[in-house]
Amino acid sequence: MAPPGDLREWIRLLEDEGELVRVSAEVDPDLEITEIVDRTVKSGGPALLFERPKGSRLPLLINQFGTERRMCLAFGVDRLDDVAGKLEDVLEMQPPQGLVDKVRGLRKLKSIADSLPKTVSRGACQEVVLTGDEIDLDLLPIQRCWPGDPAPFITLPAVITRDPHTGVRNVGMYRMQKIDSRSTYMHWQIHKDGRADYLATDGKIPVAVALGLDPVTAYSASAPLPKHIDEFMLAGFLRGEPVEVVKAKTVDLEVPANAEIVLEGTIEKGEVGMEGPFGDHTGYYTPAEPFPIFRLSAITMRRDAVYPSIVVGKPVQEDAWLAKATERIFLPAIKMTVPEIVDYDLPVAGAFHNCVIVSIRKSFPGHAHKVMHAIWGLGMLSLSKAVVVVDAHVNVHDYQEVFFYVGANVDPKRDVVISEGPLDHLDHAPTLQFFGGKLGIDATAKTTAEGAREWPEEIAMSGEIRELVDRRWDEYGISAQDGGDVVQNGSRRRLRQLLRR
Ligand SMILES: Cc1cc2nc3c(=O)[nH]c(=O)nc-3n(C[C@H](O)[C@H](O)[C@H](O)COP(=O)(O)O)c2cc1C
Ligand SMILES: [Mn+2]
């Protein structure tokens, strides 16, 4: 099934699939929604459409991405790995051999050509146009998420800019703290593309913020693409249909025609203010820091627009599933650069930058070290604080199995690497912000060339006996075959199901 074309189609699909609950009671976007959503996400509950958020006439949609099943519905796939498969197909294109291959190759090239955004002359996102004195952020049910947050924050935006030199578009998801009814801060962290566009600008940079998109385009704003790649192109490719864009009303940018709401405006270089604190996905409040100020020149929207939101906080939250999608979707691209990588896992509890588990086909002494350093040099993965390397046969998604090899195969003196490098903007633990320690753990089997003694053989039952017991199992009268699962808690089991090949 093709991914939904806009937020409304997505809401209808969620409703048809029994994945959405409409809340008709009046509910306060100030803290109350967070507590409801926190409980709902942590119990694997449905997407919520708050029809009467206090103080606004716009309904608020939240938890649209909050389970593996909804994430798959969003992409129109059965497993998130299927999304990766589509990219892998294109990335691994070889010169065609023979006619069938050529036709297949052309089809793939067409899928790339079709992924370019398409400019259209009219968009539903501009049914209502508010400029001048009509601009009023108080129209929107913007959430204040946590008690220590000083103001409401827009949490699920697609922020659109252009590189002033190359003209290439960038789309990123960066929270926006409301300052007043006509301005917000823009939380462009130090490593992000939106900030680079801003820094490359003299004077004012035009900015447009799309709220309420089809789920694949909304996801693409969170995807860590290289700077020179337009996130709307990835969205078009993954949707199998181009993102349609229209000219914004007051700035020189294009915005998705299907958006529910668009905020247009500018950011003046050097005009900053103290943003935050904000209860963030690290599970802590990130302290106040200077960030640029976004001044609105227009709000455009659909006549009966829906406002989208998300809560981040101590894991597991809804963003865990956006990040799991990224983990799966980017595996083929990572393998292009580091082909010895078999698979990897970013544990949700590790807030995604604290830990990477990676399995490799090891073929030379020090190979695990090579891969650690490759990860510390790879896009946003370069911010990873700890890297655990295991052999190809280890299931990186089974943390019990990984922990077994970390315990069994590691001589801390020989196999632990302490290095240093850039760290996530929000990480409060390092002595310095942005720069600090890295931990590598080589949990692969070692060779004598790496200074180990003769490595022992791992225990495994013979295939012959396993087949025999499989065949005879019912005869023994023991019911539970999957005894291992008894010790797994629910979320671990869900994760295993998600990643089962
Ligand atoms: C819910 C959510 C909120 C986010 N908030 C921020 C933020 O406030 N600032 C930021 O720099 N990145 C934030 N991110 C991460 C960026 O969206 C992500 O790094 C993305 O790749 C940025 O786009 P860019 O690579 O084009 O800069 C957030 C991600 C999610 C899923
Ligand atoms: Mn980008």
Side-chain angles (χ1 to χ4, degrees), residues 408-423:
N409 282 0
V410 172
D411 172 352
K413 189 135 190 225
R414 184 193 59 212
D415 301 328
V416 169
V417 177
I418 302 282
S419 182
E420 54 189 352
L423 293 171

Side-chain angles (χ1 to χ4, degrees), residues 155 170-175 187-189 192-194 221-225 231 310 312 319 322:
T155 51
N170 190 71
V171 189
M173 192 174 283
Y174 320 103
R175 74 179 188 231
H187 193 253
W188 276 326
Q189 291 167 20
K192 304 303 170 71
D193 297 342
S222 77
L225 289 177
E231 280 80 2
I310 189 170
V312 298
D319 61 335
L322 288 168

Side-chain angles (χ1 to χ4, degrees), residues 161-168 193-194 196-202 204-206 227:
T161 51
R162 266 185 201 288
D163 183 309
H165 300 304
T166 65
V168 174
D193 297 342
D197 286 349
Y198 159 76
L199 290 177
T201 306
D202 293 324
K204 280 184 185 162
I205 182 169
K227 170 99 174 53

